[in-house]
Structure formats: C-alpha cells, structure tokens
Amino acid sequence: MNYLKEVVIVLVGLYLILLCRRASGDQIQISKRVINLAHRQSKWTPVMQMSANLSDITSIRSFFEFRTLDPEGAVFYGDTKEGRDWFVLSLRDGIPEMQIGKADILVSVKGGRKLNDGAWHLLELRNEGKFVVLEVNNKVELVVGLHSKLTEDDLSGTIRLALGGMLVDKRKLFHLFEPKIDACIREGHWLNLNATWDTDETWEPRPCFSEIKKGSYFPGTGVAMFNTSDLPGLKTEEAGITVEVFGSWTGTTLSLQSTGFEYVLGELEGNKDVKKEQLGLKEESESVVLPREPATLTLTILKHSLVVNSVSELEKESLDFFSMWKKGMLLTFGGVPGDSEKAKSTHYLRGCLEKILVQGQVIDLDRALYKHTAVSSHSCPTEAMNELT
C-alpha cells in the first residue's frame, strides 16, 4: 500500500467518533449521537483520541455529515510512526485545508466550497491511486497528490487518530491556524474498527442545537475574556475606541477591569427601590435595563470618559483610558471574572450576541484569553434559548 493510502487510512479514521455516546470514566464508545466538537478549554489538545493496529484496517473510504458556522478550526488529526508521519484536516476561511508531514515533505492544500454556512454537508474521503479525493455533497471539491522517494510503504505498527486537535507540536505545521472549532458531526460510515476513544478532560459533551444562526451564545453561565492590548486600538485619526454589541440578551453585557478600576455594564435583579452597584470606583448608579429584544449596544471609550449609547456613564479626569487600553485591561463579555463579591453578585449574560465589533472589526471568541466551555463561539439556537437536540 502506498503512502497516499496511508494518508487516507488516517483520514477515514475520523468517522469512528461520529456516532458515539458518553461511557464510564473518560471514554467514548460508538452509538448514534450527534457529537459537538466545541466546549473545551485547551486549544490544541484533541477532544478525543484513540490508537489501533494498522493491520486491523481494511477500508479506505468513509463519509459523514458535518455542520458549522465557524470559519476556522481543527477537524481531524492522524499519524503513524509515533507522530513522525502526520496529517491534519481543518477549515480556514470556511474552506477545507489538508496539511501533511512525512519524511522531508510538508504539504498544505486548501480548496473546495465553503462549509461554514450552518447547513449539514455530506463529506466523503477516498483514495484513488496516488491521490486523496474529498467530495462534498457528492461533488469532487479537492484532490491531493503526493509522492517522495524517501517515503516508506511499511504500514505495520500503530495509527493514532484524534478529533479537534493535534498530537504533535503545532510548530510542525506548514500553515498555523486557530484550532478551536464550534461544529457538529453525525451519521458517519468509516473503517472497520470498533474502538473506544479517550476524551480530553476539559471537554464537556453537550448536545447540538437543532437549528443554528450566526452569533455567540451565552447560556447564563460563564464569560469570554480578552486583554485589550490584543484587540484593535486607537488610530491617530480616531476620537475613541468603540465596542459594539448586537443581539438579544439579558444579564451583564460586559465589564472592564484593570488595577484600581472596574466598570460593569449589566442588569441586576433585586428590590427596585434599592440602588444597585453598577460602576466601579466605589460609585453607585441605577441599574441599566438591557435589551430583551434585538438591539445594539455601543460603548465608546474616550480619553477620560466612557459613553454608552451617547450617554456619559463615567468621567474621571485622572484616568487615561487610551493608555490603559494599550497597556492592557480585561474586557469581559457576559459577566465579571474572578471570585470577588462583585463577580458573585453579577448575573451572567443569557442570550445571543449576534456580532461583537471593536473598532469595526469582528471579534472571534475562539481567540479569547479565556472562554468558559459553556459559551458557543459561533452558533446560537434560532428560536428558544434552550432548544437542543
């Protein structure tokens, strides 16, 4: 069997995990559940992985259904020879990308239709001589050929398979990408293996929404936190830093924190006759009523003030917000981080943030400094917030 057949064997092993159920301990066994690839904290560690003897593999054709709105992330990884020969299938800009490392060869090939439209797509991978063929909805989308005199045809030993990450150092990649992916897979047909998969301890198996739309879903638990120094900053011709949030939600929208300063924009429940602590700096303010219907929230940070929807919320001449933003503040969506009394008393955001913009640029929650595993980066349920399959 030539090298490309080995690559296909690695590829098609993906589908073993497509229909599975939670077993005892940290193992997954095969069944007919849809698998959600998101909801884990570690970036490159696979959601699940397994190993098998190459001699047990007889089939080199597989197909499965795949759905996502996420433009980028790791789908499947496989290797032989303890990681010396490896393969990874991912999305970049919504388009399938294959990267292969073997002997002295590094290959990166991207092509085909975009798959991040929120619809279920039937994907098939097969071997045709020296070529690996990817079909999407019964149409050939990507063909990869590879040959080297340094490659070996020996297929004895062990094959390792992994979903949603890699088992070798990311520095081996020809083209680095963001590995986290908010996606679901189902209805797989695969190799003749019948094996158990070990799961990443940070992965929390969750159902997939039956119907999805673009956005970031906060279920009322957890936050997404950024360092402002990693976000778009102020350009010389701009008067302020603008954060825009679009969607429907209740609860705390966002908070800003740095040494000696905290600002919280949220909705707190309690006695309507009692003022609720809303801003930092030991100040009190009436609670802001946040939108329960589709709405837009605009927070503009001027040099010495914060403006929410054209209403000044805070002004303190001793604070240089531009310098604080550049040096690094914590901008948190969905609540207040930490174990302080303020954090414990704040209600987490529940709802769909359809878009988050900073200086007009879309913010991807997969690139957050920290994101709670319950938060979905790229998909929201289309109707009821708790609508799950």
Side-chain angles (χ1 to χ4, degrees):
M1 186 178 293
N2 61 30
Y3 165 63
L4 285 175
K5 289 184 179 179
E6 178 183 349
V7 172
V8 174
I9 287 172
V10 174
L11 282 169
V12 293
L14 165 65
Y15 318 118
L16 289 170
I17 52 80
L18 298 182
L19 305 179
C20 62
R21 64 177 173 82
R22 188 72 171 173
S24 61
D26 290 319
Q27 294 185 329
I28 294 291
Q29 292 185 340
I30 295 172
S31 84
K32 294 185 178 181
R33 277 190 58 184
V34 178
I35 300 302
N36 193 326
L37 305 186
H39 306 298
R40 74 187 194 280
Q41 190 55 44
S42 55
K43 279 198 171 186
W44 290 98
T45 302
V47 168
M48 55 185 72
Q49 58 183 287
M50 61 85 67
S51 61
N53 292 325
L54 287 168
S55 58
D56 294 334
I57 298 174
T58 60
S59 174
I60 56 173
R61 173 183 177 269
S62 285
F63 52 93
F64 67 103
E65 293 185 6
F66 175 83
R67 184 192 71 179
T68 189
L69 286 164
D70 198 334
E72 189 169 359
V75 179
F76 177 69
Y77 166 92
D79 69 30
T80 58
K81 302 175 184 176
E82 298 181 342
R84 293 192 298 275
D85 296 343
W86 57 269
F87 165 88
V88 63
L89 172 67
S90 63
L91 290 187
R92 191 188 301 274
D93 302 319
I95 299 172
E97 181 176 79
M98 298 182 187
Q99 295 192 58
I100 302 169
K102 185 175 179 68
D104 63 334
I105 300 174
L106 280 179
V107 175
S108 177
V109 182
K110 171 184 168 186
R113 61 170 297 173
K114 287 194 173 186
L115 301 182
N116 64 324
D117 57 3
W120 287 102
H121 295 286
L122 175 64
L123 274 63
E124 178 180 322
L125 284 161
R126 66 177 184 269
N127 169 254
E128 292 184 357
K130 294 183 178 181
F131 298 89
V132 177
V133 179
L134 170 66
E135 280 194 4
V136 177
N137 300 330
N138 299 310
K139 180 182 177 182
V140 174
E141 295 284 351
L142 185 61
V143 179
V144 182
L146 179 66
H147 175 70
S148 170
K149 293 181 179 180
L150 297 179
T151 61
E152 301 175 1
D153 293 332
D154 180 15
L155 293 183
S156 62
T158 300
I159 182 173
R160 298 189 301 178
L161 309 176
L163 179 66
M166 294 177 58
L167 297 174
V168 294
D169 197 312
K170 64 183 179 181
R171 290 176 293 183
K172 289 189 175 184
L173 288 170
F174 182 85
H175 194 185
L176 195 65
F177 60 88
E178 169 58 48
K180 286 188 177 180
I181 190 166
D182 181 357
C184 294
I185 51 180
R186 71 182 185 187
E187 299 297 334
H189 296 263
W190 49 85
L191 300 171
N192 64 318
L193 295 177
N194 185 9
T196 300
W197 291 75
D198 296 324
T199 61
D200 172 32
E201 62 181 11
T202 67
W203 179 64
E204 299 181 14
R206 297 176 183 271
C208 294
F209 302 124
S210 58
E211 300 292 337
I212 58 175
K213 64 180 181 180
K214 290 182 179 181
S216 298
Y217 180 62
F218 290 74
T221 303
V223 301
M225 182 169 56
F226 291 84
N227 189 322
T228 58
S229 63
D230 298 327
L231 295 172
L234 186 71
K235 297 180 180 179
T236 55
E237 67 274 14
E238 295 172 324
I241 299 169
T242 301
V243 179
E244 297 174 278
V245 180
F246 304 81
S248 302
W249 69 91
T250 59
T252 302
T253 311
L254 57 82
S255 63
L256 270 171
Q257 293 175 308
S258 66
T259 303
F261 171 77
E262 182 178 73
Y263 171 81
V264 180
L265 178 57
E267 174 186 283
L268 303 179
E269 297 180 355
N271 191 328
K272 294 182 180 180
D273 297 327
V274 179
K275 289 186 177 182
K276 308 166 184 69
E277 188 177 43
Q278 182 68 22
L279 306 180
L281 302 176
K282 306 298 183 179
E283 297 185 11
E284 291 187 348
S285 171
E286 291 292 346
S287 180
V288 177
V289 179
L290 296 180
R292 296 177 181 269
E293 299 298 328
T296 301
L297 170 70
T298 302
L299 171 71
T300 302
I301 302 174
L302 301 176
K303 188 172 183 62
H304 297 297
S305 64
L306 299 174
V307 179
V308 180
N309 289 343
S310 300
V311 177
S312 180
E313 289 287 340
L314 175 66
E315 186 169 349
K316 190 173 179 64
E317 294 297 331
S318 63
L319 294 177
D320 183 346
F321 286 113
F322 292 168
S323 296
M324 292 166 65
W325 182 279
K326 184 177 180 180
K327 183 178 180 180
M329 305 173 69
L330 290 182
L331 173 61
T332 304
F333 296 96
V336 180
D339 297 323
S340 66
E341 291 301 318
K342 186 67 168 291
K344 293 178 181 178
S345 64
T346 301
H347 287 190
Y348 289 113
L349 185 149
R350 177 175 174 83
C352 181
L353 302 187
E354 297 176 4
K355 186 183 292 186
I356 301 173
L357 301 177
V358 176
Q359 298 300 80
Q361 297 185 34
V362 177
I363 300 303
D364 184 349
L365 294 193
D366 279 340
R367 300 182 182 275
L369 184 67
Y370 166 82
K371 180 177 72 68
H372 193 277
T373 55
V375 177
S376 298
S377 298
H378 293 274
S379 61
C380 295
T382 56
E383 296 179 359
M385 291 182 182
N386 60 351
E387 180 187 2
L388 299 174
T389 57

